[in-house]
Amino acid sequence: MGRLTTHVLDTASGRPAAGLRIDLYRRAGDDRLLLDSVVTNDDGRVDAPLLDGADMVAGRYELVFHAAAYLGAQGTFLPDPPFLDEIVIAFGLADNEAHYHVPLLLSPYGYSTYRGS
């Protein structure tokens, strides 16, 4: 059964990014529909798949990681405005039976992502 999962690692501190808000949107043309808003747990993961079962539909999606709010709450100095505020990862799901894992490696001035397993 297909599912969409994510996790966030704070590479500046060398630990999971606990307490980071993530919004999931489905894209339809220029429109964005908010599907879910979650917060990472102590392991930098969310407690359940963002999509699975009948909700796992092929299409275009966005994950919005609220990086500046998380980093500020950790006591990280951020300029005003912060270099990274919201990190938007736009991606497509082509196979509703596959597992798509979209991790984020985060620091105040850079990030990286990839299709994980």
Side-chain angles (χ1 to χ4, degrees):
M1 176 187 293
R3 66 189 189 279
L4 171 65
T5 58
T6 188
H7 77 274
V8 185
L9 299 176
D10 181 336
T11 58
S13 69
R15 63 180 189 252
L20 188 144
R21 187 176 123 211
I22 304 167
D23 298 329
L24 172 65
Y25 292 89
R26 179 168 169 90
R27 297 284 309 267
D30 290 334
D31 295 332
R32 296 169 64 197
L33 173 64
L34 179 64
L35 299 178
D36 204 357
S37 184
V38 297
V39 176
T40 56
N41 61 24
D42 289 344
D43 197 33
R45 299 177 183 274
V46 296
D47 293 328
L50 295 167
L51 293 173
D52 65 354
D55 294 329
M56 186 70 177
V57 177
R60 295 174 50 220
Y61 294 85
E62 288 182 359
L63 285 171
V64 179
F65 297 86
H66 294 266
Y70 161 78
L71 292 165
Q74 301 305 305
T76 304
F77 170 78
L78 299 174
D80 186 21
F83 180 69
L84 294 175
D85 187 0
E86 296 176 349
I87 298 170
V88 179
I89 300 175
F91 61 97
L93 302 180
D95 181 359
N96 63 346
E97 295 295 319
H99 178 198
Y100 289 82
H101 185 68
V102 183
L104 181 72
L105 307 177
L106 170 66
S107 76
Y109 293 96
Y111 67 92
S112 177
T113 189
Y114 53 95
R115 181 175 175 187
S117 58

